[in-house]
Amino acid sequence: MTIWDAHIHLSGVPGDTPEARLERLLEYADRLGIERVCVFMGMKWSYDPSPDDLRQQNDEVWRAIRHFPERAFGFVYLNPNHLAASLAELDRCVRDGPMVGVKLWVARRCHEPALDPLVRRAAELKAVVLQHTYLKATGNLPGESTPTDLAQLAARHPDASFIAAHTGADWELGIRALRDTPNVSVELCGFDPTAGVTEMAVREVGAARVLYGSDAGGRSFASQLAKVLGAQISAADKQLILRDNLKRLLTPILQTKGIRI
Amino acid sequence: MNTLSALNRREFVQTAATAALAGFGSARAAAAPRSKAPAGTGRHPAWVDVNVTLGRWPFRRLPFDETSTLVGKLRQQGVTAAWAGTFDGVFHHDLAAANARLAEDCRRQGRGWLRPFGSVNPKLPGWKRDLQQCAEAHQMAGIRLHPTYHGYALDDAAFAQLLVLAGRHRLIVQIVADLEDERTQHPLARVPHANLQPLVPLLRAGTGARVVVLNWARSASLPLAKQLAEAGACLDIATVENVGGVDNLVRQLSVDRVVFGSHAPLFYFESAALKLQESALTAETSWAIRAGNAMRLLSPV
């Protein structure tokens, strides 16, 4: 099996520089046979980053991936509360830079029309949009998106490709919310390795719409990889989830940029 | 297919530290140093999972929630013995019946492969009899407590009394801090984290009980885990997160305080197994976590 991880951060490991942290993360990834990783957000996070903060975090990711061009893809971190700055970051990091996707976190719920210009621009650039989604029994943050929010956004942008990070974490609800939205892939990272999640995802949306990701370093590569390797699904479906689906989503922008994989 | 064989073996061999292989089952046995395994463990080194649960999780069907299929899965992965509680012991009031079923279910698997850990709730009337039956009628090695699901705190006098009684019966006491992330619990079954701090002075006071804390990582900080370990408790790895989490835990605690627990079938077994690989442990450390520490708990000096 060849493994690409759709979701890691520069966190959970020591290191004074972005590249030092990514190097440590890749050492752990190596032990589990993970070939490539998608990395986003900087060394210090904030729920509602200012334009300067966005730029700094994206610079940190850019600096990290520059040291590991054969191993790491970068996604640009945007904040829909700062639309002009986010559009500028999208052009700087994706159109003119090395990044291949967009990361949206918890600054603003993603069903709101304010996100439409960002998604339209991302689709023009063929960049996949990865949106954090959670359904917390303890209550979401004010700007935290649910899978249903993402389904609404994705329905307005059928030409864009989306990744539902965490699939809501309460995955039985998240998968149901997203199953009729074909341009959204459900991603398995960032919640406990509860048995059955991958089997349900494959059953409900099909293996071609399921992605492995870890949320390392806050999460273990191991616990998240187990969701796929331990699932009662075919080896062919596992390979789709572990790499092939992500590769397919990234191929248009990689080809545009002339990046061979 | 066991966990390692699912990975690209060539890449794995190129990148993984050889010592990490010792953390895996039958396919990994060839690389595991046999010298640390006690004599008589047979062809494969021992691997003890101290945290499995039999029966039905009330909120969804789980892969491997039939005892025979769970045992088959664990055996396939290289596990040689497991300590089993029961979901009935979490949710039922008639714990005597739940424990009797658990004992029988384990017995059917043959020759002590599954060791039953009956449930005791010190807030139920007649709990001492449940404990006594676990020790005497069922000859169990230990009991499993669910303080958050059973509604008591660890500074409750009844809990201290239970620890003393368990010590007299030479029972291992497993304390389950959590069963699932509080953020994804069913809305009708919201259960708080366990406060494990009161356990520290009880252990220091010397109740005689051998204590294993399961699924603790969302309830306890690493400094508190260290206090628990220094006071004599063992802790499992089922809910330990962060990259290299097991290696970090061993460095913070003592290697002889960390035991292998998977929390299967609620969690994918492979989660705990792959954590050993991710952490690139020495062969000695891997052996201690996989089996040595659990065996020591079963045979105290």
Side-chain angles (χ1 to χ4, degrees), chain A residues 41-54:
Chain A
M41 302 169 69
M43 295 170 68
K44 185 179 176 186
W45 301 354
S46 53
Y47 287 154
D48 189 9
S50 68
D52 287 345
D53 190 3
L54 278 179

Side-chain angles (χ1 to χ4, degrees), chain A residues 197-208:
Chain A
V197 54
T198 309
E199 290 89 337
M200 180 181 174
V202 169
R203 186 188 75 223
E204 293 296 326
V205 307

Side-chain angles (χ1 to χ4, degrees), chain A residues 6-10 22 37-41 61 64-65 72-75:
Chain A
H7 192 141
I8 78 161
H9 301 290
L10 300 171
L22 184 54
V37 297
C38 297
V39 58
F40 29 86
M41 302 169 69
V61 169
I65 63 173
F73 298 117
F75 283 22

Side-chain angles (χ1 to χ4, degrees), chain B residues 166-187:
Chain B
R168 285 189 196 139
H169 282 282
R170 302 179 65 77
L171 289 165
I172 297 167
V173 178
Q174 292 190 321
I175 300 169
V176 182
D178 292 305
L179 285 174
E180 58 179 341
D181 186 332
E182 76 282 4
R183 296 173 298 179
T184 56
Q185 290 173 341
H186 193 284

Side-chain angles (χ1 to χ4, degrees), chain A residues 100-121:
Chain A
V100 297
V102 170
K103 167 63 188 275
L104 295 165
W105 195 30
V106 296
R108 189 166 189 148
R109 288 179 64 182
C110 69
H111 66 300
E112 295 185 22
L115 274 82
D116 289 341
L118 291 178
V119 173
R120 275 196 294 271
R121 186 72 183 122

